[in-house]
Structure formats: structure tokens, C-alpha cells
Amino acid sequence: MKLFQKLLLAPAALGLMAPVAATAADMNLAGVNQYASAEEQVTSITQFSDVQPTDWAYQALSNLVERYGCVAGYPNGTFAGRKAMTRFEAAALLNACLDRVTEVTDQLKKLMKEFEKELAILKGRVDGLEARVGTLEANQFSTTTKLKGSTYWVLGANSFGGNFSGGGNGASAIEGGTTFNYDLRLDLDTSFTGKDLLRTRLRAGNFGASGFNGGGFGPSLNALEVSFQEPAGANVVGIDRLFYQFPLGSGFTFTGGPRVRQDDMLAMWPSAYPADTILDVFTYAGAPGAYNLTLGGGAGLWWQKDGFSISANYVSSNSNVGQPGYTVAPGDGTGGGVMTNAAASSSTIQLGYAGSNWGAAFAYTYAQNGSSVYGGNATPLAAFASGNGTGTSNNYGLSAYWTPKTAGYVPSISAGWGYSSYDAANTQANLGLAGSPISGITAAQNWYVGLQWADAFVKGNSLGMAVGQPTFVTAMNSGTPQDGNFAWEWWYKFQVTDHISVTPAIFYLSNPQGAFGFSDAQTAGLSTTNPLTNFGGLIKTTFKF
């Protein structure tokens, strides 16, 4: 029953309960007047000294006081809730409440009259929205899952100088053709509670024989971040991600699954570069050893509060293989399991802070060789040291970024440095270099700096460049490696629409073969004075839907 109806019936009920109606002579009219006067109206139920939250009518009385403001007390600050109510007092209370209800009703009528046209328009829009929502609900493929997709088309070519297998022309014959490739990703994101995430990513590509795959003549540095192809072949769709993530409370989040990548289980990514990826080497926050992006079966936990975070995770590249024996590379079928010597696993701890426009992180990763073949971010010598055999490595990364609060001439700055130490005995044996001038690799380093301008020339567009040294060997048991090299990239992203962008880019690699470009003792036909160089250009078109 509504409040107004209750108030109308209250006097009648009181009259029925009283055997004899009170007369004017029996009433203290002054007290009644005081009871109902505006001066004694209260604004909070706490003003009544004799009303407690444990009283059975406490909530009803509180609503009358705070919502309608039509309850008064006695001059002594009491409500006297257990005192019998006379008809005069009921009339005074009813009159006060009716005045308030009438006042509110009149105000509503005036407002409704004044905004009559606007209310009619809103009603029409609401009806239209309800119809559209009904149509969407009737046609959506799932009430819990959203589909997000992206595809990247790359048209470009490489040009080589220096010497490789008898000259730069030899390299051009292997990777010098103009190619047109694609990478397609479809994410099915499912949430059962609104706070969790079950991600299934389908992926396909045809970069296997492309000049931008980084594998045409051994692991090289011209691989793009989007250079993807399933091991089963070109244009084959595979499961690239399959993991579940959910909060545990108190700032903790758990992530785990049979196809999860190291960075899926980190609370933050310590780099603002790049807005649009080109060379793969510049997508590891400057520390490819610490952020090796190992993909496989694993789990991780992170804690995050007020910008600070701690992350810890474990990934086994060979988690799907039940052969805990010797392994050479991830997924090669010769070794596997979880927490075994042949798991090709990676264990990472990250400490980080992410503020409103800057962040920094330190990461440590203990990796079994084979957990990730560097490919697109290391010289061949460094890639062999970490990607083959049964050895282990300790990898450290220090990365940071800063972005201006407003777009302008000042770019965002991202920088990172990485260091890796290896089991020298194992790397020597695995490389087959015992007794050679290059043997027993013990350490490697890398660094990069990336600059990025938001709203460059045109609002929504971005301009970026990066320079650095991809992972190169810095120390061995014997011999001095001439493995150093440099990489540069420049790009401009045209944001054609909210869902389409076109990015022309160029890059230059000073010595992608590293030490192998200097030592005739290791690779026949390579010049000791004129090492291989690589200049590339491309146009990447991105569609997001």
C-alpha cells in the first residue's frame, strides 16, 4: 500500500480503535499546534532522542522524515512513539504530509508540462532502443562471448648490400623478392561474471617463405612482428591462444591455460612504443631475454595496487608433449612435459610501476634453452646460444617509458636494456664449436630507444622511430665475438577510419648476421671486411573489426 493511501486510512483506523472520541476540552491544542508546527519539523531521525534503530518502525519513520519531511516531534526532542495518538494529532500529521505530497505533485506537473515535447522525443528514442536491443539479442551468437578481429596486410621488399654466400646478390636471391602477405587474428572473448576472461584466439598467416620472416638464410633481424604462419603451413587456421583469467580479490589476478603467452600473465607492459608494430625486435621492451614471449601451457599470478605491481608466471613450450627427454626446439616432439628438464620452460618475475603517463619495470626470467628461438630479435650466434640444447640462461631486463600529457612536438620516449648469461659448457657443445675460435658463449646484451609522436601532422595519425642493438653475444670462454650490429626503423601511421590504418615504413640493419658475417672460419663465403646489410621498405594495412 502506498504512503498516501496509508495516511488516508490511518485516521479511520484510529477512530475505530478508540471507543470514545476525544473532545476539544480533553486536548491540549497548544501541544498539538507545537507538534505540527514547522518549527518542530525534523530533518533526520537521529534528532529524536527516544527512537532507536532496533525499533520495529524505525525504517518507516526514517523514510517519512528524510524523504517526505512531514514528521515533527515534541518540544523536548522526543517522538513519543509508544504514546497513544489522538485524532487531532493524526489530522495534524496527515495535513503536513498532504501538503508535502501536493507540493511535489504540483512541481512534477509543471516540469512535465514544460518538457512535454522533450519527454515525447525521449520516449520515442527509448522505444527505438528497446526494439534494437531486442533485435540484437535475438541475432547474437552468444550472450557471453564477443568477437574481435584484426588482419594485417604487408606489401614490401628487402634490398641487400655487402656479402653473403658470394655477395649481396646471393642474399637478394633468397629474400629479395617483393611479397604480399597477411596475418589474421580472431579473438573470442568470453566472460561469465563480467570480471573474468576466457580468450580463444584463432590465427592464420602466410609469412613462412616471405622476405620478412627472418628465417630465409638463418635467424635474421628482418622479421616483422606480424610475420606469422602456422607450423602446419600457409593459410592454416590454428589455436594461438586459449587461457582463462579471473580476479582473486585484494588486487590479485590469476591467469592460466594450455595456450598462454608470457606477456598475457604480466600486470603491465613497460613500453609505450610502438603504436603500430614493424620490426619484431622493437616489440620486446628492449629486453628479449627477459620478455621472451614463450607460448605454451602455463599459469601466472599478479598483484596490482596504486600503480605498483608484482607478476610471477611459468610457461612450458612443450607442455603438450609427454616425453621428458632431450629437446632441441619448442614443440619438436623430442621432449616435453611440465616442470621437466625438457619442458623448454620459462619462469618470470616482474616488479613494475605504471603511473598516469610513465612507467618502469624490472624483469628476471630463468629459461631453459629452447623455450624461445630468438629469430627476429637476435644475431644467429645469440639465437643459437639460447634456442638450442639443454642449457639454461638467466635473463634480466630494465625498461621504462614516458608519454607527454598532451600531443605536440615532444614525443613519448621508451627505452630498455637487457642482459643474458648462459651455461657456457652447454652452449659450446650445442653449437658444435668446441676447439673453434668461437666457443663457450657466456653472455649477450641488447638495448633500444623508441620515440613516438601522437597526432603527428593530422589528428589521429602517429609517427615513430626506434634505434637499438638487437641481442648480440658479448662474452665467450675463448675468442672475442664481433657480433655487434644496429637496427633502425621509421614509420608513419595514417588512421584512415576508426577501423582502418595504413602504415608505410622503412628499416635498416647494419649487420644482421653478426659474428657470422665476419668469420670465414664459421661460414664460407662471408666477407671479413664487407658484412651483409639489409634495407627494407613496406606498406602495412590494418583492418580491425
Side-chain angles (χ1 to χ4, degrees):
M1 187 179 293
K2 295 182 179 179
L3 172 65
F4 182 67
Q5 295 171 321
K6 292 179 179 179
L7 291 174
L8 288 177
L9 293 175
L14 290 169
L16 291 173
M17 289 188 292
V20 179
T23 64
D26 298 325
M27 289 296 300
N28 182 349
L29 294 180
V32 173
N33 289 334
Q34 286 182 341
Y35 176 82
S37 68
E39 295 179 357
E40 302 300 332
Q41 292 288 334
V42 295
T43 58
S44 174
I45 194 173
T46 59
Q47 293 177 243
F48 293 129
S49 61
D50 60 340
V51 177
Q52 304 299 325
T54 54
D55 293 332
W56 67 272
Y58 180 86
Q59 190 59 50
L61 184 59
S62 177
N63 289 338
L64 285 172
V65 172
E66 297 175 6
R67 185 179 301 177
Y68 298 100
C70 62
V71 174
Y74 289 98
N76 61 359
T78 63
F79 179 69
R82 292 176 177 80
K83 180 182 177 181
M85 189 179 192
T86 68
R87 294 173 66 87
F88 282 110
E89 290 173 323
L93 175 61
L94 179 59
N95 183 65
C97 287
L98 285 175
D99 286 343
R100 291 288 296 165
V101 172
T102 302
E103 179 184 343
V104 174
T105 303
D106 290 342
Q107 290 176 353
L108 288 175
K109 287 181 178 179
K110 290 179 180 179
L111 288 172
M112 292 175 66
K113 183 66 176 177
E114 183 177 350
F115 294 98
E116 184 176 2
K117 293 182 179 179
E118 288 79 1
L119 289 172
I121 294 173
L122 287 174
K123 184 179 183 304
R125 290 179 177 178
V126 170
D127 291 341
L129 286 173
E130 288 180 347
R132 292 177 63 184
V133 169
T135 302
L136 288 173
E137 289 180 346
N139 292 279
Q140 65 180 346
F141 75 96
S142 172
T143 58
T144 59
T145 304
K146 294 181 179 180
L147 171 64
K148 296 189 299 183
S150 58
T151 181
Y152 308 91
W153 300 357
V154 177
L155 175 66
N158 290 290
S159 175
F160 298 92
N163 285 283
F164 173 77
S165 297
N169 291 333
S172 296
I174 297 174
E175 288 191 349
T178 300
T179 58
F180 191 13
N181 304 96
Y182 79 93
D183 174 20
L184 172 65
R185 310 175 192 185
L186 299 176
D187 285 343
L188 296 169
D189 289 345
T190 303
S191 179
F192 304 102
T193 66
K195 297 181 180 180
D196 59 341
L197 171 66
L198 172 64
R199 171 160 292 177
T200 305
R201 173 177 291 178
L202 308 178
R203 193 173 182 184
N206 64 350
F207 277 90
S210 169
F212 298 115
N213 183 45
F217 50 90
S220 66
L221 297 167
N222 59 10
L224 307 183
E225 194 275 337
V226 297
S227 298
F228 177 80
Q229 179 172 303
E230 278 290 321
N235 310 315
V236 175
V237 179
I239 304 298
D240 186 57
R241 294 286 201 286
L242 184 59
F243 64 85
Y244 184 56
Q245 187 175 89
F246 60 90
L248 293 176
S250 301
F252 288 94
T253 299
F254 174 84
T255 307
R259 291 286 287 175
V260 62
R261 206 168 72 172
Q262 177 206 43
D263 57 325
D264 295 324
M265 299 180 286
L266 297 176
M268 65 166 293
W269 186 251
S271 177
Y273 184 92
D276 200 7
T277 60
I278 304 299
L279 287 178
D280 185 52
V281 67
F282 293 122
T283 64
Y284 294 80
Y291 298 107
N292 56 31
L293 306 188
T294 300
L295 175 64
L301 184 70
W302 79 60
W303 172 86
Q304 194 171 28
K305 184 177 181 181
D306 298 330
F308 294 95
S309 63
I310 303 175
S311 305
N313 60 66
Y314 170 89
V315 185
S316 168
S317 298
N318 294 334
S319 63
N320 61 313
V321 181
Q323 303 174 16
Y326 176 78
T327 181
V328 174
D332 67 353
T334 61
V338 176
M339 300 289 184
T340 69
N341 291 334
S345 66
S346 174
S347 302
T348 302
I349 296 176
Q350 183 199 62
L351 306 177
Y353 175 80
S356 60
N357 68 323
W358 71 277
F362 169 78
Y364 166 74
T365 295
Y366 175 80
Q368 294 175 313
N369 286 355
S371 61
S372 64
V373 178
Y374 278 105
N377 56 63
T379 64
L381 189 61
F384 284 142
S386 63
N388 294 269
T390 58
T392 60
S393 63
N394 294 281
N395 306 273
Y396 308 86
L398 185 61
S399 309
Y401 67 90
W402 173 85
T403 60
K405 293 186 177 181
T406 58
Y409 295 104
V410 179
S412 68
I413 303 173
S414 300
W417 169 83
Y419 174 83
S420 299
S421 63
Y422 305 101
D423 181 336
N426 279 312
T427 56
Q428 177 178 326
N430 296 330
L431 286 170
L433 299 177
S436 73
I438 301 178
S439 63
I441 299 170
T442 58
Q445 294 188 44
N446 50 267
W447 64 269
Y448 97 112
V449 175
L451 305 179
Q452 188 168 275
W453 289 263
D455 295 337
F457 306 118
V458 178
K459 186 175 178 60
N461 294 355
S462 300
L463 171 67
M465 67 84 60
V467 61
Q469 286 187 278
T471 306
F472 64 102
V473 175
T474 57
M476 298 179 295
N477 283 340
S478 63
T480 301
Q482 293 179 293
D483 205 37
N485 63 100
F486 287 89
W488 291 266
E489 72 174 15
W490 299 263
W491 52 268
Y492 185 76
K493 178 182 178 182
F494 294 92
Q495 196 66 49
V496 181
T497 70
D498 291 341
H499 303 284
I500 303 175
S501 65
V502 178
T503 305
I506 57 175
F507 63 84
Y508 178 75
L509 305 172
S510 66
N511 180 25
Q513 291 298 95
F516 283 12
F518 289 103
S519 175
D520 289 338
Q522 295 303 308
T523 305
L526 297 181
S527 170
T528 59
T529 59
N530 189 24
L532 184 73
T533 60
N534 185 181
F535 177 81
L538 60 94
I539 297 177
K540 184 175 78 168
T541 303
T542 302
F543 301 88
K544 294 186 177 181
F545 51 92

